């Protein structure tokens, strides 16, 4: 661990704020044509930057539209909030979007999830905020229910839907990564990744789960190629970058696509 013989992939997170929906529709089309590997949004109800009451759209309904609109890219939320929806419902929604996106019988949806953190979402939409620990406990129980529900749904998902878990807490989050994840996403610096991966391995031993195929994901926002090279050397193979509209900086994405292609040459 980590999985080093997989190609480098670039994921772009379209931040679903401060732009009309038509702008997102156009950006999705253009980014897929440019060769981006994965498209993400986020699962919040209000902007995270800029005008706190500015334009904003909901994650899952947007993802269902992307499932129909796109042909090649994988996609998901970076990340879904477990607190906002019944876990069995999340499983069913994921399965349905998986089928909507299927090309040649195989879906492209990634179930990326986390425990939640943005208090305003909870307070204004009537969810219990709890504590960081209680939200992680809820995520642990939710993942068990989600995976069990996938085994019961008719029709079943088109594939084993990849599970992506975000976060770096060593006592709870990384244990969930070891137990459930196909992809681990964090903002951990390259110099600290080896320690975190050792923690995941220790938890994997306790969970009796093989994590040799775990894909390591990290963030490129406000980072240069030297930093990305360090992450690559530490084992990162999925690189994500936040993307803000409506004045999309496509040259930024082109530069990272060139870097990706150099790594994969």
């Amino acid at each position: 661990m980590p999985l080093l013989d997989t190609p480098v992939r670039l994921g772009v997170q379209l931040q679903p704020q401060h732009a009309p929906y038509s702008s997102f529709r156009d950006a999705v089309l253009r980014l897929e044509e440019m060769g981006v590997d994965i498209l993400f949004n986020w699962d919040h109800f209000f902007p995270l930057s800029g005008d706190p009451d500015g334009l904003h759209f909901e994650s899952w309904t947007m993802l269902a539209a992307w499932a129909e609109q796109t042909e090649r890219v994988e996609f998901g939320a970076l990340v879904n909030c477990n607190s906002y929806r019944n876990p069995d419902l999340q499983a069913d929604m994921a399965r349905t979007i998986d089928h909507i996106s299927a090309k040649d019988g195989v879906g492209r949806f990634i179930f990326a999830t986390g425990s939640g953190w943005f208090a305003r979402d909870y307070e204004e939409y009537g969810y219990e905020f709890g504590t960081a620990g209680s939200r992680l406990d809820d995520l642990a129980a939710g993942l068990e229910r989600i995976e069990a529900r996938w085994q019961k749904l008719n029709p079943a998902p088109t594939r084993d839907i990849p599970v992506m878990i975000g976060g770096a807490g060593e006592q709870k989050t990384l244990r969930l990564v070891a137990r459930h994840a196909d992809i681990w996403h964090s903002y951990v610096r390259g110099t600290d990744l080896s320690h975190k991966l050792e923690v995941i391995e220790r938890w994997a031993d306790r969970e009796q789960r093989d994590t040799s195929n775990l894909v390591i994901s990290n963030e490129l926002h406000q980072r240069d190629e030297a930093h990305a090279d360090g992450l690559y050397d530490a084992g990162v193979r999925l690189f994500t970058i936040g993307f803000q509209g409506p004045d999309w900086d496509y040259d930024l994405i082109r530069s990272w696509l060139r870097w990706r292609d150099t790594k994969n040459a």
Side-chain angles (χ1 to χ4, degrees):
M1 196 183 73
L3 184 64
L4 300 179
D5 59 354
T6 188
V8 172
R9 292 187 294 166
L10 181 66
V12 175
Q13 183 191 49
L14 284 81
Q15 301 170 356
Q17 59 181 11
H18 305 313
Y21 189 76
S22 59
S23 181
F24 295 104
R25 184 186 298 112
D26 294 344
V28 165
L29 178 62
R30 186 162 179 179
L31 290 167
E32 184 173 49
E33 290 176 342
M34 289 172 64
V36 165
D37 298 292
I38 305 173
L39 296 175
F40 293 108
N41 60 16
W42 66 39
D43 189 16
H44 296 286
F45 304 130
F46 302 95
L48 298 185
S49 63
D51 180 359
D53 295 313
L55 298 176
H56 197 277
F57 292 99
E58 193 276 329
S59 172
W60 280 84
T61 42
M62 179 181 277
L63 294 173
W66 294 3
E68 193 67 63
Q69 178 185 352
T70 58
E71 297 286 334
R72 177 191 55 79
V73 291
E74 291 188 295
F75 61 95
L78 190 62
V79 290
N80 169 69
C81 179
N82 177 71
S83 304
Y84 303 156
R85 303 162 193 89
N86 171 285
D88 292 85
L89 174 62
Q90 293 178 61
D92 205 337
M93 292 163 67
R95 181 279 312 257
T96 300
I97 292 178
D98 167 70
H99 276 264
I100 294 171
S101 70
K103 303 299 176 185
D104 299 322
V106 180
R108 295 171 287 117
F109 181 70
I110 295 173
F111 183 72
T113 193
S115 59
W117 61 273
F118 190 38
R120 186 185 181 189
D121 287 342
Y122 289 79
E123 292 163 357
E124 294 214 26
Y125 276 59
Y127 297 107
E128 181 180 350
F129 190 51
T131 66
S134 69
R135 294 193 299 275
L136 280 165
D137 291 341
D138 289 343
L139 176 61
L143 283 164
E144 298 287 348
R145 289 174 58 182
I146 287 162
E147 291 178 348
R149 180 58 57 185
W150 280 338
Q151 300 301 314
K152 300 175 183 177
L153 289 170
N154 184 16
T158 68
R159 63 173 181 168
D160 291 333
I161 296 175
V163 173
M164 180 178 186
I165 295 177
E170 297 182 8
Q171 296 305 308
K172 290 188 175 183
T173 302
L174 295 188
R175 186 170 192 174
L176 293 177
V177 171
R179 185 184 299 166
H180 297 283
D182 302 290
I183 308 167
W184 169 50
H185 180 77
S186 78
Y187 297 86
V188 174
R189 298 183 69 86
T191 52
D192 299 322
L193 270 175
S194 62
H195 168 69
K196 296 293 186 180
L197 292 172
E198 288 172 1
V199 173
I200 293 173
E201 285 196 76
R202 290 199 296 270
W203 281 125
D205 288 341
R206 291 187 60 174
E207 295 290 333
Q208 298 184 318
R209 181 169 182 257
D210 179 11
T211 56
S212 61
N213 289 325
L214 183 69
V215 174
I216 311 304
S217 172
N218 209 295
E219 172 65 29
L220 291 173
H221 180 62
Q222 294 184 336
R223 294 174 171 177
D224 58 18
E225 289 191 6
H227 193 108
D229 288 340
L231 290 171
Y232 176 86
D233 292 341
V236 176
R237 291 297 180 269
L238 172 56
F239 293 83
T240 68
I241 186 165
F243 204 38
Q244 175 68 60
D247 299 319
W248 310 101
D249 182 5
Y250 291 105
D251 287 339
L252 175 66
I253 304 304
R254 289 189 188 93
S255 68
W256 284 115
L257 287 169
R258 287 193 294 269
W259 179 85
R260 177 203 66 183
D261 293 344
T262 298
K263 291 298 182 186
N264 290 335

